[in-house]
Amino acid sequence: MARVIVDVMLKPEILDAQGQAIARALPRLGFSGVSAVRQGKRFEVELEGPADEAAIADVRKMAETLLANTVIEDFTVTVES
Amino acid sequence: MARVIVDVMLKPEILDAQGQAIARALPRLGFSGVSAVRQGKRFEVELEGPADEAAIADVRKMAETLLANTVIEDFTVTVES
């Protein structure tokens, strides 16, 4: 049993309206010192077996085909220790 | 300039319908070996100054009041190195 994390974020050149809305709301709520916010998705994938190379490659394929839209999003895959 | 990551996930006892839908779609798409998937949100907060204790405390407050619904969600704050 291992847990693999897939983080999916909009590519830097794509406008992140949700992130901008949060960044603009912060001063109104009394928070200063934040220059930008970007919002993305986090997936926690529980594997039945160990997080070996084959399993990680599988999760990458999963991210490419199902979890991320690679036209507008980047993703990273990390094993949670 | 520092980047602080806020991860927001549904509490374990709350049903994650999106995550379940993904987990159920995987075998149909040819992926096996995944026992569960949970979906959450990831926020990348860019600070104007350094990520010192006061700044991290501020981001925690931000997460509590704006980014997470603490009735149904847990959050973690980490500094990206």
Side-chain angles (χ1 to χ4, degrees), chain A residues 4-8 45 47 52-70 73-79, chain B residues 26 31-32 34:
Chain A
V4 180
I5 309 295
V6 180
D7 286 317
V8 178
V45 179
L47 301 178
D52 53 17
E53 258 182 66
I56 306 283
D58 246 29
V59 173
R60 294 202 133 266
K61 224 168 158 189
M62 235 175 259
E64 258 171 46
T65 55
L66 182 65
L67 305 179
N69 174 356
T70 53
E73 291 170 328
D74 289 327
F75 66 87
T76 58
V77 174
T78 47
V79 179
Chain B
L26 289 174
F31 296 106
S32 58
V34 171

Side-chain angles (χ1 to χ4, degrees), chain B residues 6-7 11 14 19 27 55-56 62 69:
Chain B
V6 180
D7 287 316
K11 286 181 193 276
I14 305 284
I56 306 283
M62 236 175 259
N69 174 354

Side-chain angles (χ1 to χ4, degrees), chain A residues 14-48:
Chain A
I14 306 284
L15 176 73
D16 177 6
Q18 280 182 304
Q20 281 194 354
I22 294 164
R24 279 188 205 149
L26 289 174
R28 250 190 296 129
L29 294 164
F31 296 106
S32 58
V34 171
S35 57
V37 177
R38 288 185 77 78
Q39 178 173 354
K41 286 174 280 184
R42 175 188 163 94
F43 299 93
E44 296 182 352
V45 179
E46 306 279 349
L47 301 178
E48 282 164 8

